[in-house]
Amino acid sequence: FGGTSGDPGCSSATDDSESPDPSDTTAPEAPVISSPANNSYNNSGIVTISGMAEAGSTVRVVDDAVTPNAKTTQVAADGSWSVTFGTSSARLADASYTYTATATDAAGNTSGVSGPVTVIVDKTLPTVVEVNPFNGQQGVPLGTNVTVTFSEEMDESTLNDSTVKLVKPGRKPASIPVTLTKSTDGSDKTVLTLDPFGSTRQTLAASTAYQLTIEGASDGDENAVKDLAGNELARDEVTSFTTAKK
């Protein structure tokens, strides 16, 4: 009357309890990617994507490469998950990557696609590509504004009077007050304009040498200009020019 360990009925009941419920045809909700923020920058080439999904499901994250790269992981009991693209020995190339995720539950039901998250990988240090007046230039007109063109778009908050300095050298070097104006050219390169004294009614002194310093990372202080990904100018950029006679 009662089942035994060899009873086929008991055996099948045990198997059923360990197998996915065949009546479960409901797909889980699409995962949510919570980190990193959409359109954020990364300067390491190692990108960790994390978020929330149905506990116990398997999350698959893919990028938008021509041949997509995919990572899968099981979702923890609290619904959290994370995957990492790139390693210390094989970092992602500088490019824009868009990631999406899906979740598949134990019954094989797959969710819709998550909202996309784009990450811009930029490991390249910015450089100064042009300074006007150029280094060593003589006879510079007294009403000249100084312009600096960088190799890429810069973090404007790092372009200030602590990182960009115009000085009149000598036994008692004097810092020249300037008004800084930031813009971008047609190639998305930042162009910084220094208006000495901040007024067209005041000019540079005649027959005088001036030195421009743009702070980089090499001198060990905390002041350095940075690009949008947080990469610092590798070293101080120092140029000088001499104004014309009156």
Side-chain angles (χ1 to χ4, degrees):
F1 298 105
T4 67
S5 59
D7 190 320
C10 290
S11 175
S12 63
T14 301
D15 291 342
D16 287 345
S17 66
E18 294 176 351
S19 302
D21 182 357
S23 65
D24 179 5
T25 58
T26 302
E29 293 185 5
V32 173
I33 299 176
S34 55
S35 180
N38 190 33
N39 295 321
S40 59
Y41 284 81
N42 172 286
N43 61 15
S44 70
I46 302 174
V47 176
T48 296
I49 310 295
S50 61
M52 301 295 292
E54 181 179 295
S57 65
T58 299
V59 164
R60 182 174 187 266
V61 182
V62 296
D63 63 18
D64 60 341
V66 175
T67 302
N69 299 296
K71 300 285 184 178
T72 60
T73 187
Q74 186 167 19
V75 180
D78 64 357
S80 63
W81 58 268
S82 69
V83 296
T84 299
F85 291 81
T87 66
S88 58
S89 59
R91 298 177 188 272
L92 298 178
D94 286 9
S96 175
Y97 300 85
T98 297
Y99 298 96
T100 55
T102 55
T104 301
D105 64 18
N109 304 302
T110 299
S111 72
V113 179
S114 70
V117 168
T118 297
V119 178
I120 301 97
V121 173
D122 175 10
K123 308 184 302 296
T124 304
L125 304 184
T127 61
V128 174
V129 296
E130 184 178 15
V131 176
N132 185 38
F134 60 80
N135 188 33
Q137 186 171 343
Q138 303 286 320
V140 174
L142 305 187
T144 297
N145 287 340
V146 179
T147 61
V148 180
T149 303
F150 294 91
S151 58
E152 58 182 300
E153 191 170 357
M154 303 294 287
D155 179 353
E156 293 189 358
S157 69
T158 68
L159 303 176
N160 51 60
D161 57 9
S162 294
T163 58
V164 181
K165 304 170 184 176
L166 185 63
V167 174
K168 183 166 66 175
R171 288 189 300 174
K172 295 183 178 180
S175 294
I176 306 303
V178 297
T179 297
L180 300 176
T181 304
K182 301 110 175 178
S183 60
T184 54
D185 66 8
S187 302
D188 290 330
K189 298 175 181 177
T190 291
V191 178
L192 180 65
T193 301
L194 291 75
D195 181 0
F197 306 102
S199 171
T200 56
R201 293 175 296 175
Q202 297 182 6
T203 60
L204 297 168
S207 302
T208 300
Y210 289 91
Q211 179 177 289
L212 172 69
T213 299
I214 303 166
E215 292 277 350
S218 59
D219 54 10
D221 63 21
E222 296 182 356
N223 293 320
V225 298
K226 301 176 182 180
D227 65 15
L228 294 177
N231 299 302
E232 298 179 337
L233 190 70
R235 60 188 59 84
D236 290 358
E237 182 80 15
V238 181
T239 64
S240 61
F241 62 89
T242 302
T243 53
K245 299 177 180 180
K246 287 186 178 179

